[in-house]
């Protein structure tokens, strides 16, 4: 079916200036205006803005830890269901079905689950396959696993490391590699309770820095489009800005992505020894063009923190609200589920301001990404409110007036006049994520792109505009109208598919048989295990 | 060979599906008991939503305490792989299902290669009747792994766990625990002790008490626990239900949205109290469902003959035997894709249930 969108203001930074022009698509792809043909269907989008479907690079939407959070907190889900508008942050228990619907209603069409434990890959993909409408992708966690730490300890060749990373990417069907508090989960099993960038995992004699640098180099050599995705050490602690700073310095000219930088934006100034270092970190990011970051913005209210950073989560048990937690010493990873309520007190206010400072002080929207680290800083349904805070100084000032003044005085937020433009929003939520992930077929509205399109009714209520898209097309199918899902479809999981080295496959077979007493097929799975038509789509590595 | 019956009359599968769909569609309060692999579970929950039905696993009673440990308490857990490779001290807690004994014995024959000492010690905490007497499989398990027995005279398992926690926390107790000093010494020397437990249907608080004990130990040292579900397939159904609806089984869709209530949606209670007016039973196991009073029964069972008293019987395949499947496994602590061991043409649960859903009068697409 040939579709024409007319009368809308196209905001597509990749393909030229914003302006009113027609957009055509057919068979799921955007095309040039076809000469001599009439559209089978025309949508008049006067008064609307048109963007590519949004892409979320870091949102915990599925997998073992997320599901454990659901199981731990049925009361949150129960509270949310009958009155979702009244409990926007009490929804960590969202089902896979609701997750897809809510993302689509906001105009998001691709979401990355950024923390998949390799041995949990089948579980994660089963969940993702039950999330309707949107496409998904995963980042596989490495950096606390015995095999890699042993390779580094034994000074194995870079080829060997690359073969292992490639095998892991292929066997877990993922789009990239993430490292979470490198080495800390392994060290925690040896009762190490704090772990910084140059600390060493006792059993291996390998430093956190060494693990990060090994993986960063391997990801780069393999041509994985997305740079190594780093969850740094000391998340959430006063003084963690120093950790973030040395991690950024360690990029050393090679691409590196630092996740949820807000949670590292803290200094030790002030009466409470908890202050903002966001301006310093923003300047450092500005001066390191190879570094990208996502923010992990904190909003307010009830949520649940879900993280494979078991060391940090164990330390946070005392802050649990309600008082129930799960801590997991996993295979080569860890995990922790700690419910938490962000309050408008000194600490919550400072965290909120640090996130906004980072958004507003990092100059290049191509290098700062829009996340709340769902559900850690806030559920993804808080995004529309966050768009408004970024686009309106007035909205920020109004919100600031509700918050702890002493905390805000230790930040630069009040002095920042910047307001994001729609073009910058489109870059940060569409064009830049596509480029960062190597997804050439989306994030823009040029011919050849898949027809993932979000249409919003322009209005003064910015949050309202982004909360309920007027229309959303996924692969050309109209899936949302007036903020409501009107058509269900199943998306795909995007994956790299490097061909694993045969010697590495044999080595992994021997490793699993010897160490786990099980054949390798206990830990891998065929595509058919997902039981959906074409559950995966391939993304190319860089040549 | 017939695969479908209406009453005791063999019929075409399509006719049985149509007949069952009519019964489901005309039901005021249908309930579903099931036991299925992941894809079967997905189809069952989708059907329940479409019908506005309640569902529970056929071993829902045993699941109650295991689910409640997570929904009410949480805890500290590890994986079977970490137990095998890292645990230098294993404490078995109470009776563990025989289906897990092979796994436990496999640890005894493997060195913990990630532990500093590369050796491990074993203890077994008993409740009630002593397992060391050797009259059952549990006693045999203890002997095979050379476990030191911990027991408190006449104390139930829950009481024994509470006594042990108190003793390890330095509090005095009235009832002594055998070999306690030996355990204290072993704990002091261990780097990564793990308590291995399963659901205890008689004393739900014992699971929370055990987690309290593990938390106490972690104040200064490391320790964890390994949860071995009473039934792997049932636990897989819990996890699948949680991601699909946000809730574990004993969930219903009274108004379209899922509602979790372990008492309200106790299927056996609903049948007993005649709240339900149709029972859809789905299980590839050996257990044959019993018709409850006058409530119609639709049985999807691994059977070569009609189920006695069932209005409709459809023969279904056994996952992992008749067809490839995905199911939870305690060998890895997660899901595993398994090849069929004896492929057959019997229809898979998921396929039959989807056909049932499609045969319902409402033509709406399944929403999950």
């Amino acid at each position: 079916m040939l579709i024409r969108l007319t009368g809308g203001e196209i905001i597509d930074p990749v393909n030229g200036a914003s302006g009113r022009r027609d957009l055509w698509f057919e068979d799921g792809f955007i095309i040039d205006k076809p000469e001599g043909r009439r559209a089978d269907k025309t949508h008049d989008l006067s008064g609307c803005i048109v963007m590519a479907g949004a892409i979320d690079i870091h949102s915990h939407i599925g997998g073992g830890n997320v599901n454990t959070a659901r199981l731990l907190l049925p009361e949150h889900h129960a509270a949310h269901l009958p009155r979702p508008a009244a409990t926007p942050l009490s929804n960590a228990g969202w089902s896979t079905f609701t997750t897809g619907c809510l993302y689509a209603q906001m105009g998001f069409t691709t979401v990355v689950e950024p923390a998949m434990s390799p041995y949990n890959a089948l579980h994660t993909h089963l969940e993702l396959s039950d999330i309707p409408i949107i496409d998904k992708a995963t980042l596989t966690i490495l950096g606390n696993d015995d095999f890699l730490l042993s390779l580094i300890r034994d000074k194995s060749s870079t080829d060997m490391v690359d073969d292992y990373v490639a095998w892991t990417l292929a066997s877990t069907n993922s789009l990239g590699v993430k490292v979470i508090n490198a080495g800390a989960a392994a060290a925690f099993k040896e009762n190490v309770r704090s772990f910084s960038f140059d600390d060493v995992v006792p059993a291996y004699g390998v430093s956190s820095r060494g693990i990060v640098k090994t993986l960063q180099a391997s990801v780069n050599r393999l041509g994985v489009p997305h740079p190594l995705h780093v969850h740094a050490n000391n998340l959430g602690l006063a003084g963690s800005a120093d950790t973030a700073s040395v991690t950024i310095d360690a990029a050393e000219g090679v691409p590196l992505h630092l996740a949820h930088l807000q949670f590292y934006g803290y200094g030790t100034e002030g009466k409470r020894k908890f202050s903002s270092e966001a301006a310093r970190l923003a300047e450092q990011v500005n001066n390191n063009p190879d570094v990208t970051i996502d923010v992990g913005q904190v909003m307010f209210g009830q949520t649940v923190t879900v993280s494979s950073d078991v060391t940090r989560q164990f330390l946070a048990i005392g802050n649990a609200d309600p008082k129930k937690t799960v801590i997991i010493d996993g295979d080569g990873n860890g995990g922790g589920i700690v419910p938490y309520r962000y309050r408008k007190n000194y600490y919550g206010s400072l965290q909120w301001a640090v996130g906004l400072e980072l958004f507003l002080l990092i100059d290049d929207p191509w290098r700062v990404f829009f996340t709340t680290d769902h559900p850690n800083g806030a559920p993804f349904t808080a995004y529309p409110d966050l768009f408004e805070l970024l686009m309106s100084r007035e909205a920020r000032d109004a919100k600031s007036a509700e918050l702890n003044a002493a905390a805000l005085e230790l930040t630069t937020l009040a002095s920042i006049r910047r307001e994001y433009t729609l073009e910058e929003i489109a870059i940060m939520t569409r064009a830049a994520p596509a480029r960062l992930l190597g997804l050439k077929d989306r994030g823009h509205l040029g011919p050849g792109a898949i027809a993932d399109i979000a249409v919003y009714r322009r209005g003064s209520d910015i949050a309202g505009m982004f909360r309920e898209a007027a229309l959303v097309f996924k692969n050309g199918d109209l899936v949302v109208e007036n903020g409501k899902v009107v058509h269900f479809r199943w998306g795909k999981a995007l994956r790299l598919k490097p061909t694993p080295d045969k010697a590495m496959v044999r080595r992994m077979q021997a490793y699993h048989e010897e160490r786990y007493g099980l054949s390798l097929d206990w830990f891998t799975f065929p595509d058919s295990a997902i039981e959906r038509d074409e559950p995966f789509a391939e993304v190319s590595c860089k040549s | 060979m017939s695969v479908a019956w209406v009453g005791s009359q063999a019929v075409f599968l399509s006719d049985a599906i149509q007949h069952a769909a009519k019964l489901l569609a005309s039901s005021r309060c249908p309930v579903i008991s099931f036991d299925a692999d992941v894809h079967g579970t997905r189809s069952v929950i989708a059907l329940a939503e479409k019908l506005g039905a309640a569902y529970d696993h056929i071993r829902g009673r045993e699941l109650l305490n295991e689910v409640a440990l997570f929904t009410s308490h949480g805890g500290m857990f590890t994986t079977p792989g970490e137990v095998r490779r890292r645990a230098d001290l294993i404490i078995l807690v109470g009776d563990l299902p025989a289906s897990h004994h092979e796994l436990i014995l496999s640890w005894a024959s493997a060195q913990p290669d990630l532990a500093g000492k590369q050796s491990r010690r074993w203890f077994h905490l008993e409740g009630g009747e002593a397992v060391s007497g050797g009259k059952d499989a549990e006693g045999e398990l203890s002997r095979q792994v050379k476990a030191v027995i911990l027991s408190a005279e006449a104390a139930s398992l829950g009481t024994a766990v509470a006594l042990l926690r108190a003793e390890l926390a330095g509090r005095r107790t009235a009832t002594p625990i055998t070999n306690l000093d030996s355990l204290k010494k072993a704990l002091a020397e261990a780097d990564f002790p793990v308590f291995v437990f399963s659901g205890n249907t008689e004393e739900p608080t014992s699971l929370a008490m055990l987690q309290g004990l593990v938390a106490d130990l972690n104040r200064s040292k490391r320790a964890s626990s390994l949860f071995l579900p009473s039934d792997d397939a049932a636990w897989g159904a819990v996890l699948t239900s949680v991601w699909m609806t946000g809730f574990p089984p004993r969930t219903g869709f009274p108004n379209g949205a899922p509602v979790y209530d372990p008492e309200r949606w106790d299927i056996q209670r609903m049948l007993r109290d005649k709240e339900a007016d149709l029972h859809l039973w789905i299980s590839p196991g050996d257990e044959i469902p019993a018709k409850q009073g006058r409530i119609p029964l639709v049985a999807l069972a691994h059977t070569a003959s009609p189920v006695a008293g069932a209005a409709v019987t459809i023969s279904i395949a056994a996952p992992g035997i008749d067809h490839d499947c995905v199911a939870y496994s305690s060998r890895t602590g997660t899901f595993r894709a398994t090849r069929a061991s004896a492929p057959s043409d019997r229809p898979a649960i998921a396929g039959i249930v989807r056909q049932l859903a499609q045969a319902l009068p409402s033509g709406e697409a399944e929403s999950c």
Side-chain angles (χ1 to χ4, degrees):
Chain A
M1 180 183 275
L2 181 62
I3 311 278
R4 174 190 175 211
L5 305 183
T6 188
E9 182 182 356
I10 307 285
I11 299 176
D12 181 22
V14 174
N15 293 298
S18 301
R20 195 157 284 116
R21 59 179 183 273
D22 288 357
L23 191 65
W24 294 78
F25 56 93
E26 184 173 39
D27 298 332
F29 291 92
I30 294 169
I31 59 172
D32 282 320
K33 179 183 177 184
E35 295 300 330
R37 294 179 61 197
R38 294 185 60 177
D40 299 305
K41 172 83 176 171
T42 297
H43 295 269
D44 185 347
L45 303 182
S46 300
C48 295
I49 58 173
V50 182
M51 295 183 179
I55 301 170
D56 191 338
I57 69 160
H58 191 116
S59 176
H60 299 279
I61 55 171
N65 286 342
V66 174
N67 215 36
T68 303
R70 295 187 184 107
L71 185 56
L72 186 70
L73 296 161
E75 67 272 26
H76 283 204
H77 191 49
H80 169 73
L81 282 171
R83 46 195 173 96
T87 57
L89 303 186
S90 299
N91 41 30
W94 278 333
S95 65
T96 46
F97 176 74
T98 320
T99 297
C101 294
L102 291 172
Y103 258 117
Q105 287 165 11
M106 298 191 301
F108 280 74
T109 49
T110 305
V111 179
V112 178
E113 159 54 59
M116 177 173 70
S117 180
Y119 290 161
N120 242 336
L122 176 54
H123 178 167
T124 305
H125 283 294
L126 287 167
E127 282 199 36
L128 297 187
S129 76
D130 273 347
I131 296 177
I133 303 172
I134 61 174
D135 287 335
K136 289 79 57 173
T138 58
L139 303 180
T140 297
I141 310 166
L142 287 173
N144 280 291
D145 48 310
D146 167 59
F147 196 87
L148 179 71
L149 298 190
S150 298
L151 288 179
I152 300 172
R153 175 196 61 204
D154 299 341
K155 297 184 170 45
S156 300
S157 69
T158 54
D159 285 349
M160 186 73 81
V161 171
D162 292 353
D163 288 343
Y164 174 60
V165 173
W167 175 82
T168 306
L169 284 166
S171 64
T172 60
N173 298 291
S174 79
L175 191 62
V177 179
K178 184 183 189 187
V179 61
I180 296 177
N181 201 351
F188 182 57
K189 291 168 183 166
E190 298 182 71
N191 204 26
V192 175
R193 304 203 173 193
S194 67
F195 201 73
S196 292
F197 199 50
D198 287 306
D199 287 341
V200 168
V201 186
Y204 300 91
V206 174
S207 71
S208 192
R209 180 190 295 270
I211 299 166
V212 170
K213 294 301 293 179
T214 298
L215 285 171
Q216 179 199 27
S218 180
V219 165
N220 197 48
R221 282 191 301 268
L222 287 168
V224 175
H226 184 44
L228 179 66
H229 198 101
V230 179
H231 167 133
N233 323 85
N234 293 325
L235 182 145
L237 302 181
S240 55
D242 291 340
T243 302
S245 182
V246 296
T247 308
I248 292 169
D249 283 342
E252 296 175 322
V254 179
L256 188 81
H257 181 85
L258 209 55
H260 36 68
L261 188 60
Q262 179 278 133
F263 287 111
Y264 302 92
Y266 316 136
T268 55
E269 303 297 315
K271 196 168 73 177
R272 293 179 176 82
K273 308 293 184 196
F274 190 69
S275 56
S276 171
E277 290 286 340
R280 171 164 70 99
L281 289 181
E283 184 180 358
Q284 198 177 357
V285 172
N286 287 336
N287 293 331
N288 282 272
D290 297 300
V291 171
T292 52
I293 69 111
D294 62 83
V295 171
Q297 177 68 34
V298 158
M299 302 295 263
F300 297 101
Q302 179 71 52
T303 191
V304 57
T305 61
V306 178
S307 177
S308 296
D309 187 345
V310 63
T311 311
R312 184 274 172 304
Q313 294 297 75
F314 178 77
L315 294 175
I317 285 175
N319 298 327
D321 182 2
K323 294 285 182 195
K324 51 182 178 178
T325 56
V326 169
I327 298 293
I328 300 164
D329 288 293
D331 294 298
N333 271 302
I337 320 300
V338 181
Y340 187 71
R341 181 181 292 273
Y342 288 101
R343 300 176 192 279
K344 294 177 181 175
N345 57 15
Y346 177 89
Y347 298 98
S349 299
L350 189 104
Q351 290 182 294
W352 176 84
V354 166
L356 292 177
E357 285 184 282
L358 291 171
F359 271 121
L360 296 162
L361 294 174
I362 295 174
D363 299 329
D364 184 358
W366 287 91
R367 293 199 292 123
V368 56
F369 293 86
F370 192 91
T371 70
T372 57
D373 189 19
H374 164 83
N376 292 313
F380 64 81
T381 41
Y383 286 2
D385 299 312
L386 186 48
F387 285 129
E388 182 162 47
L389 292 171
L390 297 181
M391 295 181 71
S392 165
R393 187 183 181 196
E394 187 182 333
R396 291 198 296 272
D397 290 344
K399 189 70 182 174
S400 296
E402 301 173 15
L403 304 180
N404 184 289
L408 299 186
E409 279 173 12
L410 289 178
T411 77
T412 62
L413 187 61
S415 66
I416 302 173
R417 305 186 66 82
R418 182 181 176 190
E419 294 180 332
Y420 269 70
T421 63
L422 283 170
E423 285 75 13
E424 287 175 319
I425 292 290
I427 290 170
M428 187 169 57
T429 58
R430 275 82 173 167
R435 189 166 80 177
L436 185 74
L437 298 168
L439 309 178
K440 295 172 184 164
D441 63 353
R442 62 196 74 199
H444 67 94
L445 296 172
I450 57 173
D452 286 0
I453 303 166
V455 178
Y456 303 100
R457 273 195 193 83
R458 193 158 200 162
S460 55
D461 177 4
I462 297 170
M465 179 174 86
F466 285 113
R467 185 169 293 117
E468 295 189 346
L471 299 175
V472 178
F473 297 91
K474 178 75 190 87
N475 290 75
D477 291 343
L478 180 60
V479 290
V480 170
E481 264 186 286
N482 298 318
K484 299 285 181 284
V485 172
V486 293
H487 172 64
F488 293 99
R489 62 186 303 283
W490 298 110
K492 297 179 189 295
L494 311 175
R495 67 179 176 189
L496 303 172
K497 203 60 179 167
T499 304
D501 175 74
K502 287 179 182 168
M504 179 54 66
V505 174
R506 287 194 297 274
R507 188 163 176 179
M508 296 316 299
Q509 284 170 336
Y511 177 82
H512 285 84
E513 285 168 11
E514 181 189 340
R515 306 300 172 94
Y516 293 96
L518 296 169
S519 59
L520 190 56
D521 64 4
W522 280 79
F523 302 92
T524 58
F525 60 94
D527 290 1
S528 59
I530 305 299
E531 284 207 5
R532 292 238 185 257
D533 294 335
E534 299 182 45
F536 296 105
E538 321 294 339
V539 174
S540 300
C541 283
K542 293 186 282 189
S543 53
Chain B
M1 187 181 74
S2 297
V3 296
W5 299 265
V6 172
S8 59
Q9 182 70 42
V11 298
F12 289 122
L13 176 61
S14 56
D15 291 340
I17 296 275
Q18 289 298 329
H19 196 81
K22 277 183 191 165
L23 288 172
L24 288 168
S26 61
S27 167
R28 174 183 49 80
C29 183
V31 293
I32 306 174
S33 309
F34 75 97
D35 176 14
D37 66 334
V38 164
H39 300 303
T41 301
R42 291 164 79 193
S43 67
V44 167
I45 294 171
L47 177 67
E49 184 184 20
K50 195 165 186 177
L51 288 168
Y55 64 87
D56 190 12
H57 195 272
I58 62 170
R59 302 187 68 170
R61 172 76 187 87
E62 293 163 59
L63 281 173
L64 269 185
N65 295 336
E66 296 178 344
V67 167
L69 173 64
F70 289 89
T71 56
S72 301
H73 302 284
M76 297 186 71
F77 306 97
T78 191
T79 62
E82 281 295 301
V83 175
R84 176 188 171 97
R85 300 191 61 186
R86 191 179 298 276
D88 50 0
L89 171 60
I90 294 176
I91 303 104
L92 307 175
V93 181
D95 291 349
L96 296 164
S99 57
H100 297 309
H101 288 192
E102 185 187 339
L103 168 65
I104 293 166
L105 290 171
S106 76
W107 302 331
S109 59
Q111 280 195 338
D113 66 302
L114 296 178
K117 303 179 193 64
Q118 303 220 339
S119 64
R120 64 177 127 233
R121 301 182 64 183
W122 293 76
F123 286 79
H124 194 157
L125 179 65
E126 297 176 349
E129 203 170 313
V131 294
S132 54
K135 64 185 177 187
D136 58 15
E138 206 70 17
E140 181 63 22
L141 177 67
S142 274
R143 267 198 304 281
Q144 286 186 278
V145 300
K146 298 184 175 62
V148 176
I149 302 299
L150 302 164
S151 67
E153 190 177 350
S156 67
L157 181 63
T159 305
V161 172
L163 288 168
L164 181 60
R165 184 184 181 191
E167 286 282 0
L168 293 179
R171 299 189 193 95
R172 284 196 292 178
T173 62
T175 309
I177 296 176
T178 60
N179 299 311
L180 180 63
D181 288 342
S182 178
L183 176 67
K184 284 182 175 175
K185 185 169 182 291
L187 281 169
E189 293 170 354
D191 293 325
F192 198 75
V194 176
F195 293 78
V196 179
F197 72 100
S198 190
N200 177 357
T201 52
E202 304 308 319
E203 294 179 291
T205 54
S206 69
L207 303 185
M209 183 62 74
L210 178 63
Q211 289 305 324
L213 188 162
V214 172
D216 292 346
L217 292 174
N218 274 285
R219 288 190 181 138
S220 57
K221 289 174 62 78
R222 287 310 324 279
S224 193
S225 72
L226 179 71
F227 166 53
L228 295 176
S230 57
D231 183 272
D232 276 4
W235 193 248
V238 169
L239 297 180
T240 307
S241 175
V242 166
W243 84 59
M244 285 187 73
T245 67
F247 300 119
R250 295 205 172 177
T251 286
F253 294 90
N255 298 304
V259 174
Y260 169 60
D261 189 330
E263 293 182 15
R264 181 179 177 190
W265 307 122
D266 175 350
I267 302 301
Q268 291 307 315
R269 184 199 63 74
M270 294 177 75
L271 291 168
R272 206 168 45 242
D273 294 349
K274 299 186 175 56
E275 286 179 22
D277 65 352
L278 187 139
H279 187 197
L280 173 57
W281 165 280
I282 303 168
S283 173
D286 297 331
E287 202 172 342
I288 298 297
K291 185 166 180 282
Q292 304 249 350
R294 297 165 66 88
I295 298 172
L297 171 70
V298 175
L300 274 54
H302 192 66
T303 179
S305 56
V307 170
V312 180
T313 302
I314 297 173
S315 177
I316 51 170
I321 298 172
D322 294 295
H323 62 82
D324 298 350
C325 80
V326 175
Y328 182 87
S329 172
S330 284
R331 296 300 297 252
T332 54
T334 185
F335 291 99
R336 184 204 177 195
T338 309
R339 289 279 180 205
S341 58
S344 80
D345 292 334
R346 285 197 196 212
I349 293 171
I352 293 294
V353 173
R354 286 195 194 106
Q355 286 183 58
L356 273 176
Q358 286 162 2
L360 292 172
S362 162
E364 289 180 13
E366 291 172 42
S367 57
C368 59

